[in-house]
């Protein structure tokens, strides 16, 4: 029985927390212990244990009981905030580490040692299959909003599109260039770090460019994009994320796809779940499909089509 379930009161079994278990501690104790969220043995153990517990699969009734637990509800906003901060610290640390590679092959080797690199590759394949199911087979121009200092999804996405594992390589023609990805982030330091990383990986400027600014900035043109991704950490509340999604959709052409990352099940402890079916969203976006992972991938995928 999961310690998370036991602690939340779903089972009478007493939770046996290891020294660095995340769930079950008082909020104040957890916050005091995690004064430094940079990667370390303690931080890695804490969040590794949390992610492992939250990726467990249980029946709907059990999950509902855990998420409705008064104990969990009391710490959930702080817990999600901690996860967001820790993820940012993890990405910044690894981006700097990977950028130490002086040659693209060395930088790529370091990139592949990132603890969750395999998860991002799997999530990328899942999202590409979702896009194909929605009718978009070979996207040429993509924007990723909330790319951060370590734009792993854009890197994996570019690689997957160029190799096209599902239908074989599709070389650019005279009338059609290869895919281009725009990394969008409002943090200047994150953009600078990501730019250095992309250079170290040897990715040409025509294949990946960077935009520093807010997602709702009118200077960010999205009308030529086949698909826009909205990262899970962009927007804290449902309302904030909804407003950002509508602002983005307003600058996209009808028929283009907006991919919104969300969460489901116990993964809601890590990221807030997003409802793409509200009245305001339905007025501008049509939900094409929703995909929930059952393995180590954390994020759910919501594919919407601009009306």
């Amino acid at each position: 029985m999961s310690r998370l379930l036991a602690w939340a009161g779903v089972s009478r079994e007493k939770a046996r927390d290891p020294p660095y278990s995340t769930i079950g501690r008082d909020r104040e104790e957890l916050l005091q212990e995690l004064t430094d969220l940079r990667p370390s043995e303690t931080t890695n153990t804490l969040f590794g244990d949390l992610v492992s517990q939250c990726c467990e699969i249980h029946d709907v009734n059990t999950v509902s009981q855990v998420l409705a637990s008064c104990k969990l509800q009391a710490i959930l906003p702080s817990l999600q905030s901690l996860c967001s901060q820790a993820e940012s610290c993890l990405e910044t640390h690894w981006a700097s580490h990977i950028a130490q590679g002086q040659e693209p092959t060395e930088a790529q080797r370091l990139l592949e040692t990132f603890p969750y690199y395999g998860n991002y590759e799997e999530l990328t394949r899942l999202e590409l299959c979702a896009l194909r199911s929605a009718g978009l087979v070979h996207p040429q121009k993509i924007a990723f909003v909330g790319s951060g200092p370590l734009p792993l999804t854009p890197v994996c996405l570019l690689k997957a599109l160029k190799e096209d594992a599902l239908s074989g390589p599709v070389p650019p023609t005279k009338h059609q260039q290869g895919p281009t990805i725009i990394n969008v982030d409002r943090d200047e330091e994150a953009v600078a770090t990501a730019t250095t990383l992309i250079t170290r990986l040897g990715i040409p400027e025509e294949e990946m460019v960077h935009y520093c600014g807010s997602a709702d900035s009118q200077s960010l043109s999205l009308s030529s994009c086949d698909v826009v991704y909205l990262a899970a950490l962009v927007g804290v509340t449902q309302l904030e994320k909804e407003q950002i999604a509508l602002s983005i959709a307003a600058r996209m052409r009808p028929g283009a796809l907006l991919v919104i990352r969300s969460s489901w099940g116990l993964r809601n402890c890590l990221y807030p779940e997003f409802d793409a079916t509200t009245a305001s969203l339905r007025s501008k976006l049509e939900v094409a499909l929703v995909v929930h992972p059952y393995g180590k991938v954390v994020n759910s995928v919501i594919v919407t089509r601009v009306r």
Side-chain angles (χ1 to χ4, degrees):
M1 173 64 71
S2 166
R3 292 186 301 279
L4 171 55
L5 270 61
W7 171 78
V10 175
S11 169
R12 293 182 180 179
E13 178 182 334
K14 183 178 180 181
R16 295 184 296 276
D17 293 347
Y20 296 127
S21 178
T22 308
I23 294 294
R25 291 176 177 267
D26 292 335
R27 179 177 55 182
E28 291 75 17
E29 180 183 353
L30 182 60
L31 290 172
Q32 182 178 8
E33 184 171 327
L34 290 178
T35 54
D36 186 349
L37 293 175
R38 290 176 299 180
S40 67
E41 182 178 356
T42 299
T43 303
N44 295 346
T45 303
L46 272 166
F47 285 98
D49 180 64
L50 174 61
V51 172
S52 178
Q53 290 185 62
C54 291
C55 285
E56 293 176 354
I57 302 299
H58 300 279
D59 61 271
V60 174
N61 183 56
T62 298
V63 172
S64 297
Q65 290 183 59
V66 172
L67 296 179
S69 163
C70 293
K71 290 183 177 181
L72 183 58
Q73 286 298 314
I75 70 168
L76 192 56
S78 296
L79 187 59
Q80 291 172 339
S81 177
L82 278 174
C83 290
S84 175
Q85 296 173 55
E87 184 170 331
S88 178
C89 289
L90 180 69
E91 290 188 2
T92 299
H93 169 84
W94 273 89
S96 298
H97 175 63
I98 296 165
Q100 292 177 9
Q102 297 302 309
E103 298 293 333
T105 53
E106 175 64 11
Q108 180 65 34
R109 186 191 67 78
L110 292 172
L111 174 67
E112 294 176 6
T113 62
F114 179 70
Y116 301 107
Y117 180 76
N119 294 34
Y120 276 89
E121 284 193 313
E122 187 176 344
L123 176 57
T124 298
R125 289 193 296 267
L126 184 151
E127 289 174 333
L128 282 175
C129 288
L131 292 177
R132 288 172 185 244
S133 296
L136 183 58
V137 179
H138 296 299
Q140 290 300 298
K141 191 169 184 179
I142 302 164
F144 192 95
V145 178
S147 52
L150 181 61
L152 264 174
T153 295
V155 171
C156 291
L157 188 58
L158 183 64
K159 181 174 181 288
L161 287 172
K162 292 172 69 175
E163 295 178 352
D164 206 340
L166 296 181
S167 58
V170 181
T173 66
K174 292 182 179 179
H175 305 289
Q176 181 176 317
Q177 297 181 341
T180 299
I181 299 180
I182 307 170
N183 292 332
V184 180
D185 203 284
R186 65 182 181 181
D187 188 302
E188 291 184 7
E189 186 174 347
V191 172
T193 301
T195 302
T196 300
L197 173 67
I198 296 305
T199 301
R200 290 286 191 272
L201 288 170
I203 297 176
E205 292 183 0
E206 62 269 19
E207 294 183 351
M208 190 169 292
V209 297
H210 305 271
Y211 174 89
C212 184
S214 174
D216 56 7
S217 173
Q218 295 304 308
S219 65
L220 176 61
S221 177
L222 301 171
S223 59
S224 61
C225 291
D226 300 309
V227 57
V228 176
Y229 281 71
L230 186 57
L233 295 180
V234 177
V236 177
T237 65
Q238 168 73 25
L239 179 59
E240 184 180 357
K241 203 176 190 77
E242 190 170 319
Q243 291 173 337
I244 295 171
L246 287 171
S247 174
I248 290 173
R251 283 169 284 138
M252 296 174 65
R253 67 173 185 271
L257 301 181
L258 174 59
V259 176
I260 306 170
R261 286 183 174 173
S262 181
S263 63
W264 79 288
L266 297 181
R267 290 163 167 82
N268 289 338
C269 295
L270 306 172
Y271 300 97
E273 184 175 8
F274 183 69
D275 180 8
T277 63
T278 63
S280 60
L281 287 172
R282 292 201 312 273
S283 67
K284 186 62 179 176
L285 296 168
E286 173 193 4
V287 178
L289 72 157
V290 180
V291 182
H292 295 309
Y294 275 73
K296 293 182 179 181
V297 173
V298 175
N299 292 122
S300 296
V301 181
I302 304 173
V303 179
T304 66
R305 184 175 288 106
V306 179
R307 294 185 186 277

